[in-house]
């Protein structure tokens, strides 16, 4: 009988200890890439466009000696041309691990339920765990490996990026603050998960409406688009509702001196963040993008049970 595969569908699928371990592995692989995955294949089953996630998985697999097969949005028709459970069982016969970028979280969960190989959430409407791991790897590089008590303020939508980020940051014992307009807060399930993790690790989760309250003296500032993929019809409404939530020079001035500025990209410059702030010396957005490679390399190794073989 095949062992049940380990999946990464949500930031909450990793315990706090596993989150730290995975970030340690990512840092080690970045220092010294190792050919752990010779002969292993990763399928990238993508139903939405991507620059960073697709390329960083492909580069990560090359660094580790493995290969990738990219399946573009028009190719598979997950749940339309073919039942999700059939796609999952077929791909499991060809490759060793799969990263799925899709719409609802229930799609990737259904897929994983039938998969005989590990499944990684490469973005759903509700979660983006790979992004959060790369983000916290980047913060560790800048501020040290122990992030307990470090203050991180997310300004904006309670979306997939912020959901995975607050759970991952809470797992590391950070002082997590989130400012969103009313009606755009994180789902209650995410709040309770993050709050429980923060409490267990000596950290904190604070949800506010006022962005100034969130950023005051914060060491790390993070924002994301006001309108995510698939919400384009809401963009006019959102531009109105998020007015006042722009990460600009005035808001950055309220944070700690030299506060790090983060964005997962792509950015809508002039909406959630100004061109000036994203181009400022405090901005670490391209370090985040680079670290997608190493966070995902570590995630693949971890899910394939190879984390213990990473040297360094
Ligand atoms: N940040 C991110 O996931 O970028 P892509 O949508 O380009 O993959």
């Amino acid at each position: 009988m095949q062992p049940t595969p380990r999946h990464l569908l949500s930031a909450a699928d990793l315990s706090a200890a596993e989150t730290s371990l995975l970030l340690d592995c990512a840092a080690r692989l970045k220092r010294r890439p190792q050919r752990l995955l010779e002969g292993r294949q990763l399928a990238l089953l993508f139903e939405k466009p991507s620059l960073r996630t697709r390329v960083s998985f492909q580069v990560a697999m090359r660094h580790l000696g493995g290969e990738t097969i990219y399946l573009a949005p028009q190719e598979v028709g997950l749940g339309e041309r073919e039942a999700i459970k059939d796609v999952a069982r077929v791909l499991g016969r060809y490759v060793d691990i799969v990263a799925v970028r899709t719409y609802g979280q229930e799609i990737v969960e259904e897929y994983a339920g039938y998969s005989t190989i590990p499944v990684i959430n490469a973005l759903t409407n509700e979660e983006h765990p790979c992004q959060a791991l790369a983000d916290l790897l980047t913060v560790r590089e800048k501020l040290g490996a122990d992030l307990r008590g470090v203050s991180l303020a997310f300004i904006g939508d309670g979306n997939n990026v912020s959901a995975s980020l607050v759970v991952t940051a809470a797992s590391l014992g950070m002082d997590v603050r989130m400012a969103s307009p009313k009606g755009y807060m994180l789902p209650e399930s995410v709040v309770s998960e993050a709050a429980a993790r923060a409490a267990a690790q000596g950290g904190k989760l604070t949800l506010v409406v006022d962005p100034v309250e969130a950023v005051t003296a914060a060491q790390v500032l993070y924002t994301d688009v006001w309108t995510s993929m698939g919400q384009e019809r809401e963009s006019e409404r959102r531009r109105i509702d998020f007015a006042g939530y722009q990460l600009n020079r005035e808001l950055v001035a309220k944070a700690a001196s030299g506060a790090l500025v983060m964005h997962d990209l792509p950015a809508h410059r002039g909406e959630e963040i100004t061109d000036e702030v994203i181009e400022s010396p405090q901005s670490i957005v391209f370090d985040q993008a680079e670290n997608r490679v190493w966070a995902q390399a570590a995630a693949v190794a971890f899910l394939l049970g190879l984390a213990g073989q990473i040297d360094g």
Side-chain angles (χ1 to χ4, degrees), residues 46 49-54 101 122-123 128 131 161 229 264-266 292:
F46 277 32
S50 170
L51 171 64
R52 281 147 289 273
T53 310
R54 173 189 172 173
R101 169 169 283 214
L123 180 142
H128 202 358
Q131 180 70 53
V161 168
M229 275 186 274
D264 52 294
L265 303 174
R292 298 291 303 275

Side-chain angles (χ1 to χ4, degrees), residues 42-63:
L42 165 75
L44 295 162
L45 176 53
F46 277 32
E47 296 203 290
K48 289 179 175 176
S50 170
L51 171 64
R52 281 147 289 273
T53 310
R54 173 189 172 173
V55 177
S56 57
F57 265 119
Q58 291 181 311
V59 171
M61 287 300 285
R62 285 221 180 161
H63 277 301

Side-chain angles (χ1 to χ4, degrees), residues 124-146:
T124 59
N125 295 343
E126 289 78 17
E127 286 253 12
H128 202 358
C130 296
Q131 180 70 53
L133 290 167
D135 295 338
L136 275 307
L137 175 64
T138 311
V139 177
R140 278 176 37 142
E141 287 177 347
K142 306 294 177 190
L143 301 181
D146 184 356

